[in-house]
Structure formats: C-alpha cells, structure tokens
Amino acid sequence: MFAKDYRDEKRHSFLSRLFNIGPKPQNSNELDDFISEAGDRAIIDEHTEDMLHGVFDIARLRLDDIMIPRKDIITIDSKCSLLEAVKIIDHYGHSRYPVVDGDKDHVLGILLAKDLLPYTCNLKPFVSLEKLLRPTVIVPESKRVDAMLKDFQADRYHMAVIVDEFGGVSGVVTIEDILELIVGDINDEYDEEPESKMITKVKGSDNYLVKGLTPLDEFYDYFSTEGLPDIGMDTVGGLVLHAFGHFPKPDETTEVGPFTFKVVRASPKQVHLLLVNYHHEPEE
C-alpha cells in the first residue's frame, strides 16, 4: 500500500511540475511545444522528451511511411525444404518470415524461426512449411501507425502484411518497427552501428526521420549529395520552410532536388521533425 501511495505521489508531483510551466495546451501541436519546453527547462530528460514526442509522431504517420517495402521483404517459398529454410533464416537472422506461393503477392502465412527448432533437432518429423504457418494479418497502406500498434498489442501478433489499393503486397511492418519510433533504435547483433542522432533511417524502408535542426552540411554529407542551390539556410528545417514559403502543418509535403519532405511535427514557429524520402537520380 505504501509503495502504491508513493508512486501516486511521485506521478502527481511530476504532472504538477509539468503543467506548471505555462498555459495548458489546447491541441496536439501545442502539447508538442509544451513537451519541448519541459525538456528545455530540464523538467524531463532528453530521453523522456524523445519518447513523448515519439508517441505523438506515430499518430501522424501511416504504414506506408514506415513499412519495409516490397523489394526488401525477405520471404521463404512454401516449397522450400527444411534445410533451405534454415539457410535463409541463418543468413538474414530475422525471427519472422512471410511464406509465399511463387511470388510476394501470394502470402500463405508467417513462419516463426523458433517453430523450426524441433524439426532441425529431429524431435519431430518434418512434413512441409505450410503446416507450421501462423495466420497472415493483412492491412492497408493508409492505416495509421498508432492504430496498428494497438492491434499488435490487442491481438498479440508481431508482423502484418501491407497491401495497396489494388490488393498487391506493398510491404510489411513489425511491432519492433513501430516501437523504435518511440524508444529509439533497438539494436541487436545483426544491426549495423547506430546512425546520426539527427538522422535516423526507418529500418528496412526508403525513408528517414530527420530533425529540423539538423545542419544542412551534415544532411548533405549523410546523403552524399552535391549541386543543390545555396539558399542561405543553415538547417534542414530552414530549407523546408524556404521550399514551402509558409509555416507548414503536419502531413504537408514538398520536394527539394532528390528529396521529398513530409512534415511529421511542427509548431507555428519551427519545423521539428521530417520524414524524408531520398530519390536517387537515375544514371545516364
């Protein structure tokens, strides 16, 4: 009982400090600014601030913003032998794989790597991969990321197959992909070294989350781009404001050279976070 009372008192103290720094926010954008101010005043630490912002960011993103695109999906053919399936799992190191019948538009189910263990140890007789599959969860590209996370939690599955308006498979998403938007990179022994804190690649996709305060020199170096016009701005946020010609709202997009910028988080005074897609120029 004492422990519960202490936790309640501590939580109340935190909220009191948080909501005692100015007028109460009236909408999500004002709440974002409110959280930033709390971070600036050291009421919350940087990690907590990033996590709170991340919770709001996923409400502004769709699955097609963060999905692993079709071309990068690692699948296993349903006709594979046990040895062939194990070799694929060993090579890529994932825990789940869509199993397909011929091509990626015909997903039969999801194979969990751990489900193969009894067969690799000869504890059970192997018949076929199709006998081991978990059901396929299919969702549209337009589904919001926060809604997808709720479904993952409620129904206790960890991967969904994403389809376009014509019913073709356009990508997949995992619960880890979404959680990383909130808590940051969840690295394991298969991941590469952490990237710039200002620029984070959305794992498995062609998109990047870029903070508005990222210096333009760092941004251009990261993508090894040259030849873009000098507009006298120092940050990516400044570049985007120049391109828009006004203070943009979340979900607005603009293009600058080979980049498409989608506003994820912004206030009436500043662009805080962008979803960036880098279009590589085709070689002549």
Side-chain angles (χ1 to χ4, degrees):
M1 186 70 179
F2 174 77
K4 181 179 183 300
D5 291 341
Y6 175 76
R7 288 195 299 269
D8 290 343
E9 181 181 345
K10 190 174 181 180
R11 180 165 59 248
H12 177 74
S13 175
F14 169 77
L15 293 174
S16 298
R17 292 169 60 203
L18 183 61
F19 285 97
N20 195 35
I21 62 176
K24 293 183 179 180
Q26 301 300 313
N27 53 53
S28 59
N29 284 337
E30 289 185 7
L31 185 54
D32 257 337
D33 294 339
F34 199 73
I35 293 168
S36 296
E37 185 179 351
D40 292 340
R41 296 175 60 172
I43 295 174
I44 55 177
D45 60 36
E46 182 180 358
H47 181 63
T48 302
E49 180 185 351
D50 287 343
M51 287 181 61
L52 290 172
H53 281 311
V55 171
F56 287 100
D57 292 342
I58 66 170
R60 301 183 178 115
L61 295 172
R62 305 187 338 165
L63 291 181
D64 57 355
D65 291 324
I66 71 161
M67 68 182 181
I68 299 169
R70 177 189 178 102
K71 64 182 178 63
D72 293 328
I73 302 174
I74 307 302
T75 62
I76 297 176
D77 192 273
S78 61
K79 304 301 189 296
C80 277
S81 66
L82 176 62
L83 180 58
E84 290 170 331
V86 169
K87 284 182 177 179
I88 292 172
I89 292 171
D90 178 62
H91 180 74
Y92 291 101
H94 301 319
S95 59
R96 292 170 176 79
Y97 298 82
V99 173
V100 300
D101 182 14
D103 62 52
K104 293 178 181 179
D105 283 325
H106 296 86
V107 179
L108 301 179
I110 306 299
L111 175 68
L112 273 60
K114 68 176 184 179
D115 288 346
L116 284 184
L117 284 176
Y119 304 94
T120 58
C121 301
N122 294 319
L123 298 178
K124 293 181 180 180
F126 179 76
V127 179
S128 72
L129 291 179
E130 293 186 46
K131 300 292 185 180
L132 306 177
L133 301 185
R134 307 294 178 98
T136 307
V137 176
I138 299 177
V139 294
E141 291 178 338
S142 57
K143 190 180 183 76
R144 290 285 171 175
V145 174
D146 58 340
M148 187 75 257
L149 179 58
K150 290 178 182 177
D151 289 349
F152 276 144
Q153 292 174 304
D155 299 328
R156 298 188 178 183
Y157 57 90
H158 290 250
M159 174 180 280
V161 175
I162 301 169
V163 296
D164 59 25
E165 58 185 309
F166 304 106
V169 172
S170 56
V172 296
V173 67
T174 69
I175 191 171
E176 182 185 74
D177 297 327
I178 299 176
L179 292 177
E180 287 191 339
L181 297 175
I182 301 174
V183 302
D185 286 344
I186 304 172
N187 295 310
D188 59 32
E189 62 270 29
Y190 296 100
D191 290 333
E192 297 177 358
E193 289 298 313
E195 302 182 39
S196 163
K197 283 192 67 175
M198 304 297 281
I199 304 172
T200 304
K201 190 176 191 305
V202 180
K203 187 178 292 185
S205 81
D206 296 324
N207 293 329
Y208 301 78
L209 285 169
V210 179
K211 293 185 178 180
L213 292 177
T214 304
L216 271 180
D217 289 345
E218 180 180 331
F219 180 80
Y220 292 150
D221 287 345
Y222 185 94
F223 292 100
S224 301
T225 53
E226 298 178 354
L228 292 178
D230 183 3
I231 57 172
M233 299 293 178
D234 296 323
T235 67
V236 175
L239 172 69
V240 170
L241 285 176
H242 182 272
F244 275 113
H246 64 271
F247 282 102
K249 296 180 180 179
D251 289 338
E252 286 193 62
T253 61
T254 188
E255 293 195 7
V256 179
F259 300 100
T260 297
F261 296 93
K262 177 179 179 179
V263 178
V264 176
R265 192 192 326 142
S267 67
K269 298 179 181 179
Q270 189 178 4
V271 174
H272 297 289
L273 187 67
L274 297 150
L275 189 75
V276 180
N277 185 269
Y278 177 43
H279 316 287
H280 294 275
E281 296 289 341
E283 295 183 4
E284 297 183 1

mmCIF file of all heavy atoms in Angstrom, residues 118-134:
data_model
loop_
_atom_site.group_PDB
_atom_site.id
_atom_site.type_symbol
_atom_site.label_atom_id
_atom_site.label_comp_id
_atom_site.label_asym_id
_atom_site.label_seq_id
_atom_site.Cartn_x
_atom_site.Cartn_y
_atom_site.Cartn_z
ATOM 1 N N PRO A 118 12.239 -27.678 -33.351
ATOM 2 C CA PRO A 118 12.040 -29.114 -33.075
ATOM 3 C C PRO A 118 12.360 -30.004 -34.276
ATOM 4 O O PRO A 118 12.758 -31.166 -34.100
ATOM 5 C CB PRO A 118 10.550 -29.194 -32.715
ATOM 6 C CG PRO A 118 10.169 -27.818 -32.306
ATOM 7 C CD PRO A 118 11.006 -26.912 -33.145
ATOM 8 N N TYR A 119 12.212 -29.444 -35.488
ATOM 9 C CA TYR A 119 12.444 -30.241 -36.698
ATOM 10 C C TYR A 119 13.918 -30.292 -37.056
ATOM 11 O O TYR A 119 14.413 -31.292 -37.569
ATOM 12 C CB TYR A 119 11.620 -29.672 -37.852
ATOM 13 C CG TYR A 119 10.146 -29.607 -37.505
ATOM 14 C CD1 TYR A 119 9.597 -28.441 -36.990
ATOM 15 C CD2 TYR A 119 9.327 -30.718 -37.664
ATOM 16 C CE1 TYR A 119 8.247 -28.376 -36.644
ATOM 17 C CE2 TYR A 119 7.981 -30.666 -37.323
ATOM 18 C CZ TYR A 119 7.452 -29.492 -36.809
ATOM 19 O OH TYR A 119 6.126 -29.447 -36.469
ATOM 20 N N THR A 120 14.640 -29.200 -36.765
ATOM 21 C CA THR A 120 16.082 -29.199 -37.043
ATOM 22 C C THR A 120 16.823 -30.136 -36.088
ATOM 23 O O THR A 120 17.914 -30.610 -36.402
ATOM 24 C CB THR A 120 16.663 -27.774 -36.920
ATOM 25 O OG1 THR A 120 16.419 -27.271 -35.607
ATOM 26 C CG2 THR A 120 16.026 -26.843 -37.945
ATOM 27 N N CYS A 121 16.230 -30.365 -34.926
ATOM 28 C CA CYS A 121 16.849 -31.274 -33.935
ATOM 29 C C CYS A 121 16.286 -32.693 -34.029
ATOM 30 O O CYS A 121 16.553 -33.528 -33.153
ATOM 31 C CB CYS A 121 16.633 -30.725 -32.526
ATOM 32 S SG CYS A 121 17.310 -29.088 -32.246
ATOM 33 N N ASN A 122 15.480 -32.928 -35.053
ATOM 34 C CA ASN A 122 14.868 -34.250 -35.259
ATOM 35 C C ASN A 122 13.968 -34.673 -34.100
ATOM 36 O O ASN A 122 13.798 -35.861 -33.831
ATOM 37 C CB ASN A 122 15.945 -35.323 -35.493
ATOM 38 C CG ASN A 122 16.695 -35.106 -36.794
ATOM 39 O OD1 ASN A 122 16.082 -34.751 -37.819
ATOM 40 N ND2 ASN A 122 17.998 -35.304 -36.770
ATOM 41 N N LEU A 123 13.405 -33.694 -33.408
ATOM 42 C CA LEU A 123 12.474 -34.011 -32.331
ATOM 43 C C LEU A 123 11.084 -34.316 -32.877
ATOM 44 O O LEU A 123 10.280 -34.980 -32.214
ATOM 45 C CB LEU A 123 12.393 -32.837 -31.348
ATOM 46 C CG LEU A 123 13.697 -32.475 -30.629
ATOM 47 C CD1 LEU A 123 13.482 -31.272 -29.720
ATOM 48 C CD2 LEU A 123 14.197 -33.673 -29.812
ATOM 49 N N LYS A 124 10.804 -33.786 -34.082
ATOM 50 C CA LYS A 124 9.531 -34.045 -34.743
ATOM 51 C C LYS A 124 9.796 -34.309 -36.220
ATOM 52 O O LYS A 124 10.753 -33.750 -36.791
ATOM 53 C CB LYS A 124 8.590 -32.837 -34.600
ATOM 54 C CG LYS A 124 8.114 -32.540 -33.191
ATOM 55 C CD LYS A 124 7.169 -31.346 -33.192
ATOM 56 C CE LYS A 124 6.678 -31.023 -31.805
ATOM 57 N NZ LYS A 124 5.761 -29.847 -31.797
ATOM 58 N N PRO A 125 8.968 -35.122 -36.869
ATOM 59 C CA PRO A 125 9.149 -35.357 -38.304
ATOM 60 C C PRO A 125 8.654 -34.159 -39.124
ATOM 61 O O PRO A 125 7.526 -33.692 -38.927
ATOM 62 C CB PRO A 125 8.307 -36.601 -38.567
ATOM 63 C CG PRO A 125 7.258 -36.574 -37.497
ATOM 64 C CD PRO A 125 7.908 -35.971 -36.290
ATOM 65 N N PHE A 126 9.495 -33.671 -40.030
ATOM 66 C CA PHE A 126 9.130 -32.511 -40.849
ATOM 67 C C PHE A 126 8.295 -32.962 -42.040
ATOM 68 O O PHE A 126 8.671 -33.898 -42.753
ATOM 69 C CB PHE A 126 10.394 -31.796 -41.336
ATOM 70 C CG PHE A 126 10.119 -30.601 -42.194
ATOM 71 C CD1 PHE A 126 9.695 -29.408 -41.643
ATOM 72 C CD2 PHE A 126 10.282 -30.675 -43.584
ATOM 73 C CE1 PHE A 126 9.430 -28.303 -42.441
ATOM 74 C CE2 PHE A 126 10.026 -29.575 -44.377
ATOM 75 C CZ PHE A 126 9.603 -28.388 -43.812
ATOM 76 N N VAL A 127 7.172 -32.266 -42.276
ATOM 77 C CA VAL A 127 6.307 -32.572 -43.415
ATOM 78 C C VAL A 127 6.404 -31.475 -44.464
ATOM 79 O O VAL A 127 6.809 -31.705 -45.595
ATOM 80 C CB VAL A 127 4.839 -32.750 -42.964
ATOM 81 C CG1 VAL A 127 3.946 -33.041 -44.175
ATOM 82 C CG2 VAL A 127 4.730 -33.866 -41.934
ATOM 83 N N SER A 128 6.047 -30.243 -44.091
ATOM 84 C CA SER A 128 6.140 -29.095 -45.001
ATOM 85 C C SER A 128 6.062 -27.812 -44.197
ATOM 86 O O SER A 128 5.574 -27.800 -43.051
ATOM 87 C CB SER A 128 5.022 -29.127 -46.047
ATOM 88 O OG SER A 128 3.776 -28.818 -45.440
ATOM 89 N N LEU A 129 6.506 -26.702 -44.798
ATOM 90 C CA LEU A 129 6.449 -25.409 -44.124
ATOM 91 C C LEU A 129 5.007 -24.969 -43.893
ATOM 92 O O LEU A 129 4.699 -24.317 -42.888
ATOM 93 C CB LEU A 129 7.183 -24.339 -44.957
ATOM 94 C CG LEU A 129 8.698 -24.471 -45.066
ATOM 95 C CD1 LEU A 129 9.250 -23.360 -45.939
ATOM 96 C CD2 LEU A 129 9.345 -24.401 -43.680
ATOM 97 N N GLU A 130 4.127 -25.307 -44.817
ATOM 98 C CA GLU A 130 2.739 -24.851 -44.722
ATOM 99 C C GLU A 130 2.068 -25.325 -43.434
ATOM 100 O O GLU A 130 1.140 -24.681 -42.941
ATOM 101 C CB GLU A 130 1.951 -25.316 -45.944
ATOM 102 C CG GLU A 130 2.406 -24.640 -47.243
ATOM 103 C CD GLU A 130 1.514 -24.997 -48.409
ATOM 104 O OE1 GLU A 130 0.281 -24.947 -48.241
ATOM 105 O OE2 GLU A 130 2.043 -25.328 -49.487
ATOM 106 N N LYS A 131 2.531 -26.445 -42.886
ATOM 107 C CA LYS A 131 1.944 -26.973 -41.657
ATOM 108 C C LYS A 131 2.332 -26.148 -40.425
ATOM 109 O O LYS A 131 1.729 -26.288 -39.360
ATOM 110 C CB LYS A 131 2.387 -28.414 -41.442
ATOM 111 C CG LYS A 131 1.990 -29.375 -42.554
ATOM 112 C CD LYS A 131 0.494 -29.596 -42.607
ATOM 113 C CE LYS A 131 0.132 -30.651 -43.640
ATOM 114 N NZ LYS A 131 -1.341 -30.864 -43.704
ATOM 115 N N LEU A 132 3.346 -25.283 -40.584
ATOM 116 C CA LEU A 132 3.881 -24.546 -39.439
ATOM 117 C C LEU A 132 3.492 -23.075 -39.431
ATOM 118 O O LEU A 132 3.889 -22.334 -38.522
ATOM 119 C CB LEU A 132 5.418 -24.630 -39.445
ATOM 120 C CG LEU A 132 6.026 -26.032 -39.491
ATOM 121 C CD1 LEU A 132 7.543 -25.939 -39.564
ATOM 122 C CD2 LEU A 132 5.596 -26.839 -38.278
ATOM 123 N N LEU A 133 2.718 -22.642 -40.409
ATOM 124 C CA LEU A 133 2.492 -21.214 -40.589
ATOM 125 C C LEU A 133 1.483 -20.633 -39.609
ATOM 126 O O LEU A 133 0.478 -21.265 -39.259
ATOM 127 C CB LEU A 133 2.024 -20.939 -42.020
ATOM 128 C CG LEU A 133 2.979 -21.376 -43.135
ATOM 129 C CD1 LEU A 133 2.446 -20.936 -44.491
ATOM 130 C CD2 LEU A 133 4.380 -20.834 -42.894
ATOM 131 N N ARG A 134 1.766 -19.401 -39.187
ATOM 132 C CA ARG A 134 0.801 -18.608 -38.428
ATOM 133 C C ARG A 134 -0.048 -17.811 -39.421
ATOM 134 O O ARG A 134 0.389 -17.538 -40.539
ATOM 135 C CB ARG A 134 1.536 -17.644 -37.488
ATOM 136 C CG ARG A 134 2.583 -18.299 -36.573
ATOM 137 C CD ARG A 134 1.966 -19.228 -35.562
ATOM 138 N NE ARG A 134 2.973 -19.883 -34.724
ATOM 139 C CZ ARG A 134 3.310 -19.458 -33.509
ATOM 140 N NH1 ARG A 134 2.740 -18.376 -32.993
ATOM 141 N NH2 ARG A 134 4.210 -20.120 -32.807
#
